[in-house]
Amino acid sequence: MSADFQPAFWAAKRAVMTAAEEAYSRHGVRAGQQFILHQLWKEDGLTPGELARRLELSVPTVTRTATRMENAGILRREPHPTDARLVRLRLTERGWELKDIIAKEAATLSERALATLDSAEREQFVRFLHEVRVNLSR
Amino acid sequence: MSADFQPAFWAAKRAVMTAAEEAYSRHGVRAGQQFILHQLWKEDGLTPGELARRLELSVPTVTRTATRMENAGILRREPHPTDARLVRLRLTERGWELKDIIAKEAATLSERALATLDSAEREQFVRFLHEVRVNLSR
DNA sequence: GAGAGATCGTTAGCCGGCTAACGTAAGTCG
DNA sequence: CGACTTACGTTAGCCGGCTAACGATCTCTC
């Protein structure tokens, strides 16, 4: 029944959020910071605006999260060599150290969340999530 | 692939949240208030603690949301007749008026989110969401 | 070259989730 | 009866999402 969709979704949302927070915060990384980290591990020195585009987040969300990560010693802000409007976010050594640690936590978390789903169901679930996002963005 | 699970989930989360906010806020109801409303429509006069238990939310989340709903004229606080520790949250006339309106918005929103899923897929999707919640709470 | 417009990042402030700490009221037990 | 414990709701403060408004810088056009 689609009447159950919203309660089920919100309950799952809170559960995933809480579990992610618990898994990552042990290492000084908060739940919302993992996606920024993933992008910077792939390409260090991205700007807040570019990160916001890639992650489909608002720019203020990225800048404030970046400030917290800066305070936590995970990254630092550097001026752009040619364009003074831009800010480059560059990982510190600590930021790079976290790569394997967070990847492992993420894998564990996903495995725990999807423990009762077989391979085909997991693929289908991810597809459903993607379709919901696409459906709502139109 | 379960590696895609977390990004897909978070993206869907933001999409649902944004769409819900857009749908409900037109009527002066914010996204997080709908579940409290549903409970009060079923049983008016519940306490914050009882609502928190039924919705699996923390008590402070409920009390603060209730304060906002009180300020918006949706409900009011009343003292409990026999236990002075308790607070009864009772819907105002406006709170009751919203019942049909919000129900319709919720149905429209769910239909839009799940538009590309057939009946069996929707059922499966809700089941997956429920399993994720259960898996993570253990 | 100078001014208008576009782009970028930050700040302020809202909502929704949480934990910790607090005060008050009820219940329990000596 | 009095003290301790328990239960309840609120407040304060954190994180993560958002929009609106701002200042600074670049770009484009005249």
Side-chain angles (χ1 to χ4, degrees), chain B residues 4-127:
Chain B
D4 301 328
F5 165 63
Q6 289 191 61
F9 190 90
W10 282 64
K13 178 198 91 171
R14 291 194 299 267
V16 170
M17 171 70 185
T18 302
E21 188 66 27
E22 184 198 342
Y24 299 138
S25 65
R26 284 196 294 264
H27 310 287
V29 176
R30 311 309 297 261
Q33 304 175 359
Q34 56 169 320
F35 302 111
I36 291 179
L37 279 174
H38 270 103
Q39 291 297 320
L40 293 180
W41 287 329
K42 283 199 301 185
E43 184 175 349
D44 200 9
L46 290 171
T47 65
E50 183 59 30
L51 280 167
R53 269 189 295 274
R54 297 191 185 191
L55 299 172
E56 297 186 6
L57 289 172
S58 71
V59 175
T61 296
V62 173
T63 66
R64 196 185 44 187
T65 303
T67 300
R68 287 176 183 150
M69 295 169 78
E70 193 175 21
N71 293 337
I74 297 173
L75 56 78
R76 56 174 172 274
R77 283 176 162 84
E78 288 185 1
H80 192 277
T82 63
D83 192 333
R85 292 172 305 181
L86 300 180
V87 170
R88 291 166 58 107
L89 301 178
R90 290 185 57 85
L91 292 170
T92 62
E93 195 164 341
R94 176 62 183 157
W96 284 107
E97 283 173 7
L98 288 165
K99 186 174 180 179
D100 292 344
I101 300 170
I102 296 300
K104 191 167 298 183
E105 290 285 0
T108 303
L109 176 60
S110 293
E111 179 53 40
R112 192 156 72 93
L114 305 174
T116 56
L117 278 62
D118 64 32
S119 180
E121 288 174 329
R122 294 179 186 200
E123 195 175 337
Q124 205 169 10
F125 187 32
V126 171
R127 187 170 61 80

Side-chain angles (χ1 to χ4, degrees), chain A residues 32-58:
Chain A
Q33 303 175 359
Q34 55 169 320
F35 302 110
I36 291 180
L37 279 174
H38 269 103
Q39 290 297 322
L40 293 180
W41 288 328
K42 283 199 299 182
E43 184 176 348
D44 200 8
L46 290 171
T47 66
E50 183 57 31
L51 280 166
R53 269 189 295 275
R54 297 191 185 191
L55 299 173
E56 295 185 9
L57 290 171
S58 70

